[in-house]
Amino acid sequence: QKTAYEIYQCDWSSDVCSSDLLDTAVCLAFKFSREVYGSFEFDCAQQDRNGPAVTMIDVIRILLFPALMAFAASSDLLTMTISNRISIALIAGFAVLAAASGMSLQDVGMHALAGAVVLVLTFICFLRGCCGGGDAKLAAATALWLGFDHLYDYILWASLFGGVLTLLIIRF
């Protein structure tokens, strides 16, 4: 089994992992995963050729959330609906990965609280007609994954990109 260092030889301080765009994207996904979950511990700059191996949990953690979010975005764009299955898959995926990666109960509770807060706030928006029910559930499931640490950035960027997309859809 190859180590993470052998697969992704990179300079973590420059955000450039290689000249290959795919390798760079995967390397940045590893960095994001390490930032959010903290339990994914490796640093290419300090590892030798026998660094920690990339586990299946790490690969699932990197691929599951973005894949489900991309599916939700394309579904919403094309059909204007977001299936409950996507939100359920995000919640189940978080639960499995949190347990498998050894996330503390306190951290899981804080992530769950972030999801609950967002669900209440977006449900109020849904009742007022400001957003759809699928959007509210997806935002809550996303908040579960991100926790309070990254929630503000997510809300800011999702609002900005969502607003621009809405204006483009209305205009064209």
Side-chain angles (χ1 to χ4, degrees):
Q1 184 177 27
K2 288 186 174 182
T3 65
Y5 183 80
E6 290 169 330
I7 297 170
Y8 307 106
Q9 294 180 3
C10 60
D11 176 4
W12 289 92
S13 61
S14 71
D15 287 341
V16 176
C17 299
S18 80
S19 59
D20 183 18
L21 183 61
L22 180 61
D23 283 352
T24 300
V26 171
C27 185
L28 292 174
F30 269 102
K31 290 173 91 172
F32 174 76
S33 179
R34 186 181 63 186
E35 173 73 25
V36 171
Y37 293 100
S39 63
F40 181 68
E41 298 172 358
F42 85 93
D43 189 346
C44 286
Q46 297 179 4
Q47 294 294 327
D48 59 15
R49 304 285 278 168
N50 297 320
V54 176
T55 65
M56 183 57 78
I57 291 173
D58 299 325
V59 172
I60 292 170
R61 184 184 324 179
I62 290 168
L63 297 178
L64 181 67
F65 181 76
L68 287 171
M69 293 301 288
F71 184 75
S74 62
S75 172
D76 194 23
L77 185 63
L78 297 174
T79 66
M80 296 297 217
T81 60
I82 300 173
S83 172
N84 288 338
R85 292 182 183 138
I86 297 171
S87 298
I88 292 168
L90 282 168
I91 293 166
F94 175 81
V96 168
L97 287 174
S101 65
M103 190 179 233
S104 72
L105 286 178
Q106 181 180 3
D107 287 341
V108 171
M110 291 305 290
H111 280 253
L113 182 60
V117 167
V118 169
L119 182 62
V120 168
L121 294 176
T122 55
F123 189 71
I124 291 169
C125 291
F126 167 69
L127 291 176
R128 297 181 55 127
C130 299
C131 71
D135 297 315
K137 291 177 274 188
L138 182 66
T142 303
L144 174 68
W145 275 77
L146 299 178
F148 285 113
D149 292 341
H150 301 282
L151 190 56
Y152 175 78
D153 292 334
Y154 163 69
I155 291 171
L156 175 69
W157 288 109
S159 299
L160 289 174
F161 287 128
V164 168
L165 182 60
T166 300
L167 292 175
L168 288 173
I169 289 171
I170 289 172
R171 180 158 176 99
F172 299 106

